[in-house]
Amino acid sequence: MLFDGTFWTDDELASLVRDLRADYLLLDGYGYIAGEPLLESFPFRILAMHEADLTLRDESGERRYRGLHGVRDAVFRGERETRSSLFFVTR
């Protein structure tokens, strides 16, 4: 039902997941910034996964491997290992 290619707004997704009586919401491959409807519906109960290591920073303090191609970018830069990141989504 969620994975049929339909685009869901934050309002629609929050309503749907509330109706499913979910305790937590896990975002994996969610390419958008979670909006207020989701944040208000699941305060401190939204976890997100990112395929790359978000703890690594460049010289200016920016995350080194963010975005859709974090693992690819790490491999191309010669990193010998990488890891995924799991974090709570907050404001």
Side-chain angles (χ1 to χ4, degrees), residues 5 7 15 24-26 28 37 50 52 56 69 71-72 74 77 83-85 90:
F7 176 80
S15 177
Y24 285 85
L25 181 58
L26 176 64
D28 181 22
H50 180 64
L56 299 175
H69 305 292
V71 172
R72 181 202 65 190
R77 287 192 66 179
R83 59 183 155 202
S84 297
S85 299
T90 60

Side-chain angles (χ1 to χ4, degrees), residues 11-77:
D11 285 318
E12 293 169 327
L13 184 57
S15 177
L16 176 68
V17 177
R18 272 195 313 269
D19 290 348
L20 293 172
R21 304 175 88 190
D23 294 320
Y24 285 85
L25 181 58
L26 176 64
L27 305 175
D28 181 22
Y30 191 73
Y32 308 97
I33 295 174
E36 288 302 314
L38 288 176
L39 295 170
E40 290 173 2
S41 295
F42 300 95
F44 304 104
R45 295 182 294 141
I46 302 174
L47 291 154
M49 294 177 62
H50 180 64
E51 66 176 13
D53 186 351
L54 295 176
T55 65
L56 299 175
R57 306 277 179 155
D58 64 17
E59 301 77 30
S60 66
E62 294 291 320
R63 288 189 173 91
R64 192 178 300 165
Y65 303 116
R66 59 186 181 175
L68 294 175
H69 305 292
V71 172
R72 181 202 65 190
D73 295 343
V75 169
F76 286 165
R77 287 192 66 179

